[in-house]
Amino acid sequence: MTLDLTTPPAFSRADFLPSAANETALSALDAPRDWPQGRMLLIGPEGSGKSHMVAFWAAENGARKVSAAVLNPESTDRLVAEGGALVVEDADHSGYAAGAEQALFHLWNLCGARDCLLLMTARSAPRDWGLVLPDLRSRMDAVAQVRLGPPDEALLAAVLVKLFADRQLAVSAGLIDWLVLRMDRDMGLARRLVSGMDRMALARKGPVTRKIAADLLDKLTVADA
């Protein structure tokens, strides 16, 4: 019987890996009082570090966090505290969830009226969200934005080490270097690789090996293609 004993990911600031790919975004998040109208949109692809960044930002600023997909107009009032802070994750999903678009528009207005900081995350720019509410679309198009860039080799290697450590897996530096040289610089792919290698090693009742890495990387590359 295989038991999933994976520990929760470490999302503190101390566990964050600063690099050239995220330094601009990190600087922007560290100066929320400089945000135009107290609002900021953080854009980055899957696995780029958005959730990690907003986790420690929310902790440091006493912010509430909510997913855009579960927003509804009736719940918005209690989410916005006077002089507080709010994080709306996956704001790009608001264009595809019933009521979420209207709710996000209400949050925008409430945050302005109550001097509440509003940090949103998304995988793409607002023009690609499928928004149909004109007032919301115009505000999202004009909101201040900061982007997470693609990782360099050093950051990708560090992320792989962290992902293995989150699963209490000890792997050699040679395996990390081997992966970095052969995989796309894609944080989402890194997550899938580490998760898959963990499962394959458990199924084979052995350590994570280069053969496991090679087999899985081939499968994921074909699947993505």
Side-chain angles (χ1 to χ4, degrees):
M1 179 182 294
T2 299
L3 301 178
D4 184 1
L5 300 178
T6 304
T7 58
F11 276 166
S12 70
R13 182 183 283 267
D15 297 301
F16 188 70
L17 305 169
S19 77
N22 55 44
E23 61 182 355
T24 300
L26 187 60
S27 295
L29 263 63
D30 281 341
R33 292 303 168 184
D34 293 339
W35 299 353
Q37 300 181 317
R39 303 177 181 99
M40 179 63 67
L41 173 61
L42 175 63
I43 300 175
E46 176 195 358
S48 59
K50 300 188 299 299
S51 294
H52 193 158
M53 295 181 80
V54 301
F56 65 72
W57 186 89
E60 294 169 358
N61 290 274
R64 299 191 66 169
K65 293 195 300 178
V66 62
S67 172
V70 301
L71 286 175
N72 63 79
E74 290 73 30
S75 67
T76 54
D77 186 72
R78 63 176 179 268
L79 293 174
V80 182
E82 189 73 39
L86 175 67
V87 175
V88 177
E89 295 195 88
D90 301 319
D92 46 324
H93 293 178
S94 59
Y96 304 96
E101 199 170 332
Q102 187 68 45
L104 186 57
F105 180 60
H106 288 335
L107 286 177
W108 178 281
N109 292 331
L110 282 171
C111 285
R114 298 178 184 178
D115 191 29
C116 179
L117 293 170
L118 177 60
L119 173 61
M120 298 168 285
T121 69
R123 295 186 184 184
S124 59
R127 64 176 179 273
D128 300 320
W129 296 2
L131 299 174
V132 297
L133 191 63
D135 288 339
L136 178 62
R137 188 170 63 243
S138 64
R139 284 160 175 77
M140 289 296 106
D141 285 339
V143 71
Q145 302 175 11
V146 64
R147 289 179 177 268
L148 291 165
D152 55 23
E153 289 187 3
L155 178 58
L156 182 57
V159 167
L160 286 168
V161 170
K162 180 183 182 300
L163 290 172
F164 281 118
D166 285 342
R167 292 176 170 271
Q168 303 180 52
L169 292 173
V171 298
S172 69
L175 178 59
I176 298 294
D177 292 341
W178 187 90
L179 283 168
V180 169
L181 289 174
R182 288 162 177 80
M183 64 180 288
D184 291 338
R185 295 182 186 179
D186 181 333
M187 297 301 200
L189 174 60
R191 291 178 183 275
R192 298 197 301 276
L193 272 171
V194 172
S195 174
M197 283 187 279
D198 187 13
R199 291 195 303 271
M200 289 177 70
L202 284 171
R204 298 180 185 184
K205 300 180 181 180
V208 174
T209 63
R210 184 175 296 186
K211 184 178 188 315
I212 286 177
D215 289 346
L216 185 60
L217 184 58
D218 286 344
K219 289 179 181 179
L220 291 178
T221 301
V222 170
D224 287 345

